[in-house]
Amino acid sequence: AQTVTQSQPEMSVQEAETVTLSCTYDTSENNYYLFWYKQPPSRQMILVIRQEAYKQQNATENRFSVNFQKAAKSFSLKISDSQLGDTAMYFCAFMMEGGSEKLVFGKGTKLTVNP
Amino acid sequence: GAVVSQHPSWVICKSGTSVKIECRSLDFQATTMFWYRQFPKQSLMLMATSNEGSKATYEQGVEKDKFLINHASLTLSTLTVTSAHPEDSSFYICSAAKGDYSYEQYFGPGTRLTVT
């Protein structure tokens, strides 16, 4: 079974600075997807970024980028120019390739952006 | 867009009663929907996978007779918590897979269930 580990229960960063959230996973599969989801206080889950395992290039979405190390099974999220609205729980998630596959979530990292 | 709604957003019910939660994909058809449960300050735990027109697939440890799931159309899945007890109090979240690629999943805003 796949597992996702987020070793940082809580982190904080000053507004405008950069922060990196860690995620490692365990799988014997070669084809899969990795995700970072954001859950703000409203509790609405929002997709931040997605990475396909077959792509060597790291995914980026504006201020959000990932460092995907397939061999090391590591998938960290870097948030640049942190904003107060980035304060949220961040969940790393894994999904095997194929139709109707389920998401396996890590335990989450609570990120606080301080003014 | 890809919008998923849930109704109700918050429900309080008495112990022993049943409560139904609806999950709707508003602007797309969803062959597959997923139901999650989230306890305070914890992660999302998948309860079951709901496929339109067929029986739901429950995760290990989830009581299928207690958490009834019906996916009657491509835009609606329902979760019914039967004979609810205080320990069923939780935040229930659904997600819907858009198109043939379930990596495109969109989440509803969640339903807070409180059983008194």
Side-chain angles (χ1 to χ4, degrees):
Chain A
Q2 289 75 23
T3 59
V4 177
T5 301
Q6 293 179 250
S7 58
Q8 305 153 316
E10 295 190 34
M11 292 191 73
S12 63
V13 64
Q14 291 298 121
E15 194 175 7
E17 294 188 347
T18 296
V19 64
T20 298
L21 308 183
S22 300
C23 173
T24 58
Y25 59 94
D26 187 25
T27 184
S28 58
E29 301 291 326
N30 189 52
N31 299 316
Y32 48 88
Y33 303 97
L34 294 164
F35 306 82
W36 279 98
Y37 281 92
K38 169 185 177 181
Q39 188 179 41
S42 68
R43 304 192 77 170
Q44 170 73 60
M45 294 288 285
I46 302 167
L47 177 65
V48 176
I49 201 165
R50 181 182 73 234
Q51 175 80 43
E52 290 88 343
Y54 66 85
K55 290 185 177 179
Q56 291 186 338
Q57 187 174 8
N58 290 323
T60 64
E61 286 289 342
N62 301 313
R63 297 183 294 109
F64 300 88
S65 61
V66 297
N67 182 5
F68 173 47
Q69 301 290 329
K70 191 173 184 178
K73 297 181 182 176
S74 170
F75 183 61
S76 61
L77 174 70
K78 185 172 81 172
I79 306 175
S80 303
D81 186 25
S82 296
Q83 301 176 359
L84 296 178
D86 295 334
T87 293
M89 282 290 292
Y90 286 82
F91 293 99
C92 179
F94 172 98
M95 179 194 290
M96 287 196 297
E97 187 180 61
S100 304
E101 293 297 341
K102 60 185 181 183
L103 282 164
V104 177
F105 287 92
K107 292 188 175 182
T109 296
K110 182 179 180 181
L111 176 66
T112 302
V113 180
N114 299 309
Chain B
V3 181
V4 176
S5 70
Q6 280 185 242
H7 178 80
S9 57
W10 193 1
V11 58
I12 302 173
C13 70
K14 292 186 176 181
S15 185
T17 63
S18 296
V19 61
K20 180 184 288 188
I21 302 169
E22 292 185 347
C23 176
R24 293 181 185 272
S25 54
L26 299 184
D27 51 2
F28 66 98
Q29 293 185 329
T31 304
T32 305
M33 291 184 172
F34 303 85
W35 286 96
Y36 297 86
R37 184 173 182 177
Q38 186 179 32
F39 289 106
K41 299 184 180 181
Q42 294 190 23
S43 188
L44 283 72
M45 295 298 297
L46 180 67
M47 298 174 66
T49 302
S50 167
N51 292 294
E52 187 265 339
S54 63
K55 290 184 178 181
T57 302
Y58 291 82
E59 294 299 301
Q60 191 173 8
V62 177
E63 299 176 63
K64 58 182 66 175
D65 293 333
K66 182 168 187 61
F67 299 99
L68 301 178
I69 293 172
N70 184 23
H71 193 157
S73 76
L74 288 172
T75 60
L76 173 65
S77 178
T78 61
L79 168 67
T80 301
V81 182
T82 62
S83 185
H85 292 285
E87 57 265 31
D88 298 324
S89 298
S90 188
F91 195 68
Y92 293 88
I93 305 174
C94 73
S95 71
K98 185 177 182 181
D100 295 330
Y101 302 98
S102 63
Y103 62 72
E104 290 191 74
Q105 287 189 30
Y106 298 89
F107 285 81
T111 297
R112 183 183 302 278
L113 170 64
T114 301
V115 184
T116 60

